[in-house]
Amino acid sequence: MKYRSYFKSISIKNKIFATMIILVVISITVIAFFANNISQKAIIEKAKNNSLRELVLINNNIETLITNVEDYSKMLATDYRLQEVLYTDMSVEKPEGGLENLIMRKKLSEVLSNFVEPNTKVKAASVLSSRIQWADVGYADNEYAARLFGTEPVAMKLENNNKPIWTGLVPFKFRYDSTESNVFAVSKAVVHKEFGKTIGMVALYVKESVIAAIYENSLNHQGGEFYILDEKHSIISSRNKSLLYHDFTDMTAISLPNLGERETSFILGKGDDELLVSTQHFEPLSWTIISVIPLDAITVENKEITKLIIRIGIWCLIFAMGISFFLSRSITKPLFILASTMRKIRNGQMNVRSSYKSMNEIGHLSDGFNSLMDRIEALVAKNAEEERTKSEIEFKLLQSQVKPHFLYNTVETIISLIKLNMKTEAIAAAKYMANFYNISLSRGNDVISIREEMKLTESYLEIQKLRYVEYMDYSMDIDEDIMCYATPKLMLQPIVENAIYHGLKWKKEKGYLQIVGFMQNGQIIIEVHDNGVGMDKQQMEQLLEPAVEDKRKVSFGARSVNSRIKMLYGDLYGLDVESVSGSYTKVTIRLPIKEL
């Protein structure tokens, strides 16, 4: 409820502006969210495909290298000069007549040199005779070769096996090297072409770095790594040589699924540690080629896209703010003009009209409002004229009631005084009556001076005092300063008459009527105070605002005077009534300071 009331209190301009901004922010956020997710998925999927393609390419290159090395071993094993040397070595009776012979070794060197560096990627080659004698080219250490291939007779070791045989990754030492090297070795039995008898063995050595060179240039993502595992999941090739011979899971904390599949690609880890892992099975040697790429390195492009979206979103937001500001302003400006016009009219400026002109909906609303105000102003003017006419009629009616009634009562009083032989009082009553009618007629003027109004009222009171001498008396205390100012004619007489007939007349003992006039706060104040029977709250309300069914004269005269003063001078002026039942009544008349 609190937020609803707060929303209702916001101006239309701010509502439009805020709504536009919220819609733009939500739209940009939703677009950015989906664009980021879609682009990230697309980039990851693309990276998976690229990684698998790279593994396939590496697989093919390794297969090509392996095939070439095997072909070299086959070519070497079938070379007729090598077979001649090995066959001769097997035929001679003394060892020194075999591979130890300088001529024989020279022939072997000539044959082997064609299959090792720099002509091929083979680091070195060794030849084992049937007598378990080693000869080499490329500085292969014969002690390491013997340790690698053993000392069993060759015929038994390689019997019925004409295919090249690969070892796993092994440490091997070459002559003149200070440290061991990591190599793969391939061996091939030498079978005599004519006799079909195994007469020796050849071994070729390929460094692990030669295989690693195949994939080292394929690292497209920063932080990415390639690994080659044997069938026991030991690392046999990696850029980081310290990982060789160790279990892959132990070294990388990456758990691999079933590696029997041809190729797989999956994501491991959470948050910033997510990795894209791709595998490719190398069938010839039961190896597994693995690519490991941090997901952050893959999605770096997506981050750039996200930054671009954010920048574009900020510019769109700024642009939308400008558009929404001008749009809300263009919509609300005419409403503000119309609202300002309404405030002026509410403050009493009924002749003000809306200045906004347009063919849109607000323009039609403005025209309709102006037309409505024209009609209201016309109706108000008509109503005011009708009220003025009604007030005039009521005032004339009051006069018509006062004059005949007062004349009749006064004449009756004069006759009674004459009968009682009170000629002096009769003459005074006649003079007061003449004075009353002289002023009340006042050549047809409805506005007279306060002095004349007081004389008229005094004449009325003197006559009433002659009639009701036993229950009333009065006094008048009017400041001379206000005597010259204007007042509606017969303004005071109806109030005095009400005080006499409805207040003092019903009092058991003699009552008193007091009239006071003075100037206060820029107004003329005339107070009529009587100590008669007073009025209750309902009677006071009826005195100035009678009910429809109330036709009593007590309210008619006072209401007529009050309405006439307000009609002539405004709502700041008129009558105020203060009374306590059984105690007193005070009627205060407020008039403006008007020159006659």
Side-chain angles (χ1 to χ4, degrees), residues 252-263:
T252 62
I254 298 175
S255 298
L256 295 174
N258 181 18
L259 297 182
E261 298 181 13
R262 176 68 180 173
E263 59 183 32

Side-chain angles (χ1 to χ4, degrees), residues 435-436 438-443 445-459 476 482-492 596:
N435 189 48
F436 177 85
N438 182 45
I439 296 173
S440 64
L441 292 174
S442 62
R443 296 180 298 277
N445 295 327
D446 289 336
V447 178
I448 60 177
S449 67
I450 293 177
R451 189 183 303 277
E452 290 177 313
E453 180 70 17
M454 292 303 167
K455 286 181 180 180
L456 185 149
T457 304
E458 186 180 10
S459 297
M476 297 180 69
I482 68 172
M483 289 294 195
C484 61
Y485 294 112
T487 180
K489 185 172 59 178
L490 288 177
M491 172 269 301
L492 192 56
L596 185 62

Side-chain angles (χ1 to χ4, degrees), residues 207-418:
K207 279 190 171 184
E208 182 272 338
S209 59
V210 174
I211 294 179
I214 294 175
Y215 57 76
E216 282 181 344
N217 296 327
S218 300
L219 297 175
N220 292 330
H221 297 283
Q222 185 177 3
E225 290 290 349
F226 282 97
Y227 303 92
I228 299 178
L229 311 183
D230 61 14
E231 56 188 2
K232 296 180 179 180
H233 294 186
S234 294
I235 300 174
I236 58 176
S237 182
S238 171
R239 285 198 308 167
N240 186 357
K241 307 307 177 186
S242 64
L243 302 179
L244 299 178
Y245 305 106
H246 293 88
D247 184 79
F248 175 77
T249 301
D250 293 341
M251 292 295 100
T252 62
I254 298 175
S255 298
L256 295 174
N258 181 18
L259 297 182
E261 298 181 13
R262 176 68 180 173
E263 59 183 32
T264 58
S265 186
F266 52 91
I267 295 176
L268 291 177
K270 294 182 180 180
D272 296 335
D273 297 328
E274 285 187 307
L275 300 172
L276 174 62
V277 181
S278 301
T279 66
Q280 177 75 31
H281 190 63
F282 184 68
E283 293 289 349
L285 299 179
S286 297
W287 291 352
T288 302
I289 308 169
I290 298 177
S291 168
V292 179
I293 306 172
L295 211 59
D296 284 344
I298 297 173
T299 58
V300 66
E301 297 178 5
N302 191 58
K303 292 179 180 178
E304 294 299 323
I305 294 174
T306 303
K307 291 179 181 178
L308 178 62
I309 292 174
I310 292 174
R311 287 196 291 268
I312 294 174
I314 292 173
W315 282 109
C316 290
L317 182 60
I318 294 173
F319 179 75
M321 289 176 66
I323 294 298
S324 60
F325 175 79
F326 287 111
L327 178 62
S328 62
R329 182 179 177 84
S330 65
I331 294 174
T332 57
K333 184 177 180 180
L335 294 178
F336 288 154
I337 294 174
L338 191 57
S340 176
T341 304
M342 290 180 177
R343 283 194 296 269
K344 291 178 181 179
I345 291 174
R346 187 171 57 195
N347 292 332
Q349 303 179 40
M350 298 297 293
N351 59 339
V352 177
R353 296 293 180 269
S354 173
S355 60
Y356 182 75
K357 301 295 180 183
S358 177
M359 296 301 294
N360 59 21
E361 292 84 353
I362 301 178
H364 295 325
L365 178 62
S366 178
D367 292 340
F369 175 77
N370 288 341
S371 299
L372 178 62
M373 287 309 304
D374 289 340
R375 293 184 61 187
I376 290 175
E377 187 176 16
L379 289 173
V380 168
K382 182 179 178 181
N383 186 62
E385 183 62 30
E386 290 177 351
E387 286 293 326
R388 182 178 289 105
T389 302
K390 181 179 179 182
S391 180
E392 291 290 342
I393 292 172
E394 287 180 348
F395 183 68
K396 296 297 183 183
L397 178 60
L398 178 63
Q399 287 182 317
S400 65
Q401 288 178 341
V402 169
K403 292 175 185 178
H405 176 72
F406 180 67
L407 176 61
Y408 174 78
N409 290 336
T410 304
V411 171
E412 286 290 333
T413 300
I414 292 172
I415 293 171
S416 297
L417 290 173
I418 293 173

